[in-house]
Amino acid sequence: MLDVGCGAGLASEALARAGASVTGLDAAGSALEAARAHAAAGGLAIDYREGRPEDLLAAGGGGFDAVLALEVIEHVADREGFCRHLAGLVKPGGPVFLSTLNRTPRSWLMAKFGAEYLLRLLPVGTHDWRMFVRPAELGRSYGRRGCGWRISPGCRWIR
């Protein structure tokens, strides 16, 4: 599995503990240093790489059974290109899992104001609420790539 935007490796580690062979990809080298150290301390063999999906594709990477991009697309300016690269990294017919914050007043209150300013869980400026993605926008971006998509049962968008 490929975990795009893996950051400090939370999802990568959970997948590795469940028995998956995991590659974590992130553009932030400092986050990967923490991810590598934490995985090593836990005895997990995760292949962490610095870069972006298009870099991995250009280097001949791809053929993953599944690709995850959790809480990443809201930081990406070219969503269609991002989705195209994700689709190129997964084996034909393989799933690409995306998660994101819905652009609603509630998400601004909880994820932007609450997490960044009130509780200081994230550095101020981590999120740009205008970049949060509504479900229909995500469907258009991914659907233009010729891919089928759906919101999984049990998935809740912050409304």
Side-chain angles (χ1 to χ4, degrees):
M1 297 188 84
L2 175 64
D3 182 9
V4 175
C6 64
L10 296 175
S12 295
E13 288 192 11
L15 293 166
R17 281 192 189 93
S21 173
V22 181
T23 298
L25 182 70
D26 203 288
S30 58
L32 291 175
E33 291 173 23
R36 286 183 185 112
H38 196 265
L44 298 172
I46 299 171
D47 177 17
Y48 286 114
R49 301 181 190 182
E50 186 172 349
R52 300 168 302 171
E54 56 269 34
D55 301 330
L56 189 56
L57 272 174
F64 290 94
D65 292 327
V67 174
L68 292 90
L70 309 178
E71 308 290 321
V72 178
I73 200 165
E74 65 269 18
H75 300 281
V76 175
D78 179 10
R79 291 185 188 134
E80 286 187 45
F82 183 72
C83 289
R84 181 180 64 251
H85 296 127
L86 296 180
L89 288 166
V90 70
K91 289 179 181 175
V96 175
F97 299 96
L98 298 168
S99 71
T100 186
L101 295 163
N102 193 356
R103 191 175 60 253
T104 63
R106 183 176 178 204
S107 69
W108 178 87
L109 181 65
M110 295 173 68
K112 180 68 180 167
F113 180 75
E116 293 182 25
Y117 291 92
L118 187 63
L119 299 174
R120 303 284 182 176
L121 297 172
L122 300 169
V124 172
T126 297
H127 293 107
D128 177 349
W129 181 78
R130 295 167 297 184
M131 293 289 290
F132 286 12
V133 184
R134 294 178 185 257
E137 295 166 348
L138 184 58
R140 282 192 301 270
S141 293
Y142 209 67
R144 285 188 188 127
R145 304 284 43 98
C147 302
W149 76 282
R150 64 185 166 88
I151 297 176
S152 297
C155 177
R156 286 190 49 189
W157 290 81
I158 297 176
R159 299 186 196 277

